């Protein structure tokens, strides 16, 4: 199988292309869960939901999250009661969080809940949360420590970040079958997801990084950075906070212990030699995904290179 590591919005674009080009049966998608949080007493798993909705064909591709055409009546009434409304939970999306939260309370594991939600929405690919344990991205600023959603959505990534860490990661375990999937993969693809807050939490789950280093399968990444800037979101700020070079080279370096190939934009062609000096092949391709055709074309390129 093709094993794919991903976060939410950026990763979902390539996942959609790969599902269309390789077929959903060939995909084992390992998804970040360190963005998960509890709001209104509900357990919310944004990246899992973005991937599920995208593959089910019900995702809002313009926003990159939530359900296409969703309404916000419940949120409006929550506001009347003084509840927090900065995180825009749609009415249909809320059904997902209600169901997930109930099943978790009943003792189901997150991976079991995910499988149930995927089947209910007709998703044929295998979607695995990176862990069934609670791992939480924490953002340390000069005067506080906040959750990822507070940093990303509530504060619109305006805080100056001093440190990022993944609470609970050391004690977490990969979900059953995940390490074996990497070991037996025909190839592994690291999506163009935020390297600090989407891919690093997956790598922080004990055993996953070693499985990637040890697998015989070739491991390829698509860069989320072009000309020193992300296509969207705060990856540049977070990479700088980690002390990484903010470039496609910085992404390749962060994955250098397990990466064989990285797809980079033509605009970054002058970085090719530096990347290849650290033992990673750099292949040039159009890595933007603004349309469904872009997603399919990039996915085809990834599959051809593998
Ligand atoms: P999140 O969980 O919602 O942050 O989503 P991801 O971590 O999966 O994706 C965020 C990353 O996707 C950002 O760092 C963007 O630079 C990257 N991204 C968004 N659109 C594109 C695109 O069209 N092409 C590439 N190569 N990367 C993209
Ligand atoms: N992102 C936003 O920027 N604003 C929102 O109000 C928002 C709501 C939301 C609701 C459900 C969901 O699954 C995701 C949502 N996101 C929202 C996406 C956001 O959580 C991030 O894109 C990811 O967590 C980053 O990985």
């Amino acid at each position: 199988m093709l094993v794919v590591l991903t976060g939410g919005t950026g990763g979902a674009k390539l996942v959609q292309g790969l599902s269309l080009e390789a077929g959903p049966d060939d995909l084992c998608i390992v998804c970040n869960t360190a963005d998960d949080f509890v709001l209104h007493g509900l357990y919310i798993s944004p990246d899992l939901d973005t991937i599920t909705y995208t593959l089910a064909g019900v995702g809002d591709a313009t926003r990159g999250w939530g359900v296409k055409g969703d309404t916000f009546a419940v949120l409006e009434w929550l506001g009347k009661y003084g509840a927090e409304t900065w995180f825009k939970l749609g009415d249909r999306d809320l059904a997902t969080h209600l169901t997930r939260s109930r099943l978790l309370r009943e003792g189901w594991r997150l991976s079991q809940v995910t499988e149930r939600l995927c089947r209910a929405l007709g998703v044929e690919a295998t979607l695995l949360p990176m862990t069934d344990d609670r791992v939480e991205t924490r953002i340390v600023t000069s005067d506080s420590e906040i959750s990822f959603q507070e940093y990303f959505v509530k504060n619109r990534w305006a805080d100056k970040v001093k440190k990022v860490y993944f609470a609970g990661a050391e004690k977490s375990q990969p979900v059953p079958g995940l390490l074996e999937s990497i070991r037996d993969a025909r190839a592994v693809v690291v999506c163009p997801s935020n390297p600090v807050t989407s891919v690093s939490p997956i790598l922080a789950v004990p055993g996953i990084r070693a499985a990637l280093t040890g697998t015989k399968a070739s491991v390829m990444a698509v860069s989320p950075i072009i000309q020193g800037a992300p296509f969207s979101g705060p990856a540049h700020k977070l990479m700088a906070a980690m002390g990484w070079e903010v470039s496609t080279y910085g992404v390749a370096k962060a994955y250098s212990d397990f990466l064989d190939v990285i797809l980079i934009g033509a605009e970054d062609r002058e970085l090719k030699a530096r990347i290849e000096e650290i033992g990673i092949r750099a292949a040039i391709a159009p890595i933007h995904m603004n349309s469904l055709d872009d997603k399919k074309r990039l996915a085809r390129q990834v599959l051809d290179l593998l």
Side-chain angles (χ1 to χ4, degrees):
M1 274 180 127
L2 196 61
V3 173
V4 181
L5 311 190
T6 187
T9 51
K13 294 183 182 183
L14 185 61
V15 167
Q16 186 180 10
L18 288 169
S19 177
L20 292 168
E21 292 296 315
D25 298 347
D26 195 28
L27 289 192
C28 173
I29 303 157
V30 177
C31 187
N32 173 41
T33 57
D35 293 1
D36 295 10
F37 73 129
V38 175
L39 190 62
H40 315 301
L42 300 174
Y43 186 90
I44 300 168
S45 233
D47 289 359
L48 282 173
D49 289 343
T50 299
I51 299 294
T52 305
Y53 296 155
T54 300
L55 291 177
V58 298
D60 186 316
T62 313
R63 279 197 310 245
W65 49 266
V67 177
K68 191 165 49 183
D70 213 348
T71 48
F72 294 86
V74 175
L75 192 78
E76 197 189 313
W77 274 70
L78 281 167
K80 288 184 202 278
Y81 296 137
E84 303 206 54
T85 55
W86 52 268
F87 198 76
K88 305 292 179 215
L89 294 170
D91 298 328
R92 291 166 183 79
D93 191 25
L94 272 162
T96 305
H97 312 312
L98 285 164
T99 304
R100 175 186 292 116
S101 304
R102 175 177 60 79
L103 293 174
L104 289 173
R105 269 197 312 276
E106 287 174 10
W108 290 44
R109 295 193 306 265
L110 185 60
S111 51
Q112 295 173 311
V113 176
T114 303
E115 192 181 346
R116 160 106 176 233
L117 296 173
C118 280
R119 295 303 155 252
L121 292 181
V123 172
E124 291 168 53
T126 304
L127 176 58
L128 303 179
M130 63 192 198
T131 180
D132 282 324
D133 303 316
R134 191 70 194 96
V135 175
E136 196 188 350
T137 296
R138 302 293 298 169
I139 307 285
V140 182
T141 69
S142 40
D143 50 12
S144 65
E145 184 181 307
I146 51 179
S147 72
F148 179 73
Q149 299 301 339
E150 287 171 301
Y151 167 73
F152 187 83
V153 179
K154 190 175 184 186
N155 300 349
R156 299 179 187 281
W157 32 287
D159 302 273
K160 174 112 185 67
V161 177
K162 283 180 66 183
K163 188 178 143 189
V164 178
Y165 73 97
F166 310 116
E170 322 78 56
K171 285 187 271 122
S172 69
Q173 288 187 338
V175 296
L178 194 163
L179 298 182
E180 294 77 4
S181 299
I182 294 175
R183 186 192 61 205
D184 302 336
R186 83 175 161 87
V188 180
V189 178
V190 183
C191 279
S193 288
N194 187 316
V196 179
T197 52
S198 291
V199 181
S200 291
I202 301 177
L203 302 176
V205 176
I208 296 188
R209 194 164 200 132
L212 289 167
T213 316
T215 185
K216 288 196 203 70
S218 66
V219 184
M220 171 188 285
V222 175
S223 180
I225 303 286
I226 195 151
Q227 291 185 297
F231 288 81
S232 60
H236 52 311
K237 294 185 169 193
L238 296 166
M239 288 174 75
M242 299 294 285
W244 299 357
E245 181 177 308
V246 185
S247 72
T248 285
Y249 174 83
V251 177
K253 183 98 194 315
Y255 303 158
S256 58
D257 50 326
F258 58 81
L259 198 65
D260 298 303
V261 188
I262 186 163
L263 272 183
I264 68 173
E267 296 83 343
D268 280 341
R269 67 165 65 78
E270 77 283 0
L271 296 174
K272 183 174 161 67
R274 270 181 79 210
I275 293 172
E276 296 196 332
E277 262 168 38
I278 56 170
I280 298 163
R281 179 175 161 216
I284 293 173
I287 57 165
H288 61 271
M289 292 176 282
N290 300 328
S291 65
L292 186 60
D293 277 348
D294 288 344
K295 294 172 197 171
K296 290 200 289 189
R297 179 196 27 75
L298 185 56
R300 179 47 41 214
Q301 204 130 14
V302 165
L303 294 168
D304 289 348
L305 271 165
L306 290 170

